[in-house]
């Protein structure tokens, strides 16, 4: 079974620029999550999709972050404009109801300078 | 703010000894509890989950849950250098894997030869 695919692996941008991350979940997994992990902290949920509908985006900074999940499969997370404090690893995860817990992708490490 | 608390460590454990990690949570509605292992520069990897009070064993790992005291622990028996990592505790309020996970900041474990 292929895992959760994410790209790019690394990205360095200047503040006020925009950036986009892509995620392809495990085939058949209806639920997809984007987490932000700042160095030294645990992951924090940004947004949760069920198929292509948003279940929870209460911690997504909507003035600069946006996310979509087209056709209930791939997802894109965008930041525009980026701030220094957005430097973090952005993790995508997907889950299958009976699996218990979910599987993370390898993440995208974003550095804003 | 619902919180998940862990000692940050580092927890230094001699090779072959038992590592004991603790996690407390504030939300009494929490139903499912997970332990993830995260190697430096890698994404979190699920190692255990537990739903019911008591102990659950999987190989060298044992998870212990006490909902009345609102804590969950992880024991690693016969610790190996490959167990050196950060261990993240996570909880969710739902009884299935579709719920968002609230993560602690993690406990760093260092197994010394």
């Amino acid at each position: 079974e292929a895992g959760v695919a994410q790209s790019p692996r690394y990205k360095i941008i200047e503040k006020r620029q925009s950036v986009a991350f892509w995620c392809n979940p495990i085939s058949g997994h209806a639920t997809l999550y984007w987490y932000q992990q700042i160095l030294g902290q645990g992951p924090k949920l940004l947004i949760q999709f069920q198929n292509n509908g948003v279940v929870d985006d209460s911690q997504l900074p909507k003035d600069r972050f946006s996310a979509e999940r087209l056709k209930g499969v791939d997802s894109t997370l965008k930041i525009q404009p980026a701030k220094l404090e957005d430097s973090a690893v952005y993790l995508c995860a997907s889950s299958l109801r009976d699996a218990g817990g979910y599987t993370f992708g390898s993440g995208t490490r974003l550095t804003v300078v | 703010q619902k919180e998940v608390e862990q000692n940050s460590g580092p927890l230094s454990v001699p090779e072959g000894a038992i590592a004991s990690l603790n996690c407390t949570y504030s939300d009494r509605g929490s139903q499912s509890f997970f332990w993830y292992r995260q190697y430096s520069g890698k994404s979190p990897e699920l190692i255990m989950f537990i739903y019911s009070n008591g102990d659950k064993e999987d190989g060298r790992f044992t998870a212990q849950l006490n909902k009345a005291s609102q804590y969950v622990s992880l024991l690693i028996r016969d610790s190996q250098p490959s167990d050196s990592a950060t261990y993240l505790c996570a909880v969710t309020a739902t009884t299935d894997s579709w719920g968002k996970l609230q993560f602690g900041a993690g406990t760093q474990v260092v197994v010394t030869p």
Side-chain angles (χ1 to χ4, degrees):
Chain A
E1 176 182 79
V4 177
Q6 287 190 249
S7 66
R9 286 284 282 124
Y10 304 93
K11 191 73 177 180
I12 301 175
I13 62 172
E14 294 183 350
K15 59 183 179 183
R16 292 187 289 274
Q17 286 188 326
S18 63
V19 64
F21 314 127
W22 174 82
C23 172
N24 182 248
I26 293 173
S27 178
H29 282 197
T31 312
L32 184 147
Y33 312 81
W34 283 102
Y35 277 80
Q36 179 194 57
Q37 187 174 23
I38 294 172
L39 187 64
Q41 299 181 18
K44 182 185 82 171
L45 180 72
L46 292 176
I47 189 166
Q48 176 185 349
F49 291 95
Q50 181 66 24
N51 296 307
N52 58 352
V54 175
V55 174
D56 187 338
D57 63 356
S58 57
Q59 298 189 86
L60 186 73
K62 299 181 185 63
D63 58 335
R64 298 184 301 105
F65 285 64
S66 65
E68 61 181 4
R69 188 179 185 194
L70 300 176
K71 301 179 181 178
V73 182
D74 292 9
S75 178
T76 303
L77 177 69
K78 297 179 181 178
I79 307 175
Q80 181 179 13
K83 294 185 175 182
L84 296 177
E85 58 261 37
D86 298 331
S87 294
V89 176
Y90 291 84
L91 296 162
C92 180
S94 68
S95 71
L96 187 62
R97 185 184 183 94
D98 298 320
Y102 28 84
T103 304
F104 284 95
S106 56
T108 296
R109 183 177 298 276
L110 174 67
T111 302
V112 183
V113 298
Chain B
Q1 176 72 18
K2 298 169 184 175
E3 295 182 347
V4 177
E5 300 286 346
Q6 298 180 253
N7 291 325
S8 61
L11 176 66
S12 184
V13 181
E15 184 174 358
I18 296 175
S20 178
L21 291 75
N22 295 316
C23 171
T24 59
Y25 57 94
S26 62
D27 183 6
R28 285 196 169 274
S30 299
Q31 295 288 336
S32 308
F33 306 86
F34 303 84
W35 284 99
Y36 282 80
R37 177 177 62 200
Q38 187 171 29
Y39 293 113
S40 180
K42 302 294 185 181
S43 59
E45 171 193 14
L46 179 66
I47 54 173
M48 291 280 299
F49 61 89
I50 187 167
Y51 301 142
S52 304
N53 279 329
D55 296 359
K56 180 181 179 182
E57 186 174 317
D58 184 358
R60 296 186 296 110
F61 298 98
T62 299
Q64 300 174 317
L65 175 62
N66 184 322
K67 290 185 179 180
S69 300
Q70 294 178 245
Y71 83 79
V72 57
S73 63
L74 180 70
L75 300 178
I76 308 174
R77 291 183 300 282
D78 188 24
S79 295
Q80 301 297 310
S82 59
D83 295 326
S84 296
T86 295
Y87 290 80
L88 299 165
C89 173
V91 306
T92 180
T94 63
T95 55
D96 59 40
S97 61
W98 284 1
K100 70 178 184 181
L101 291 182
Q102 183 83 23
F103 282 86
T107 297
Q108 183 185 5
V109 172
V110 178
V111 180
T112 55

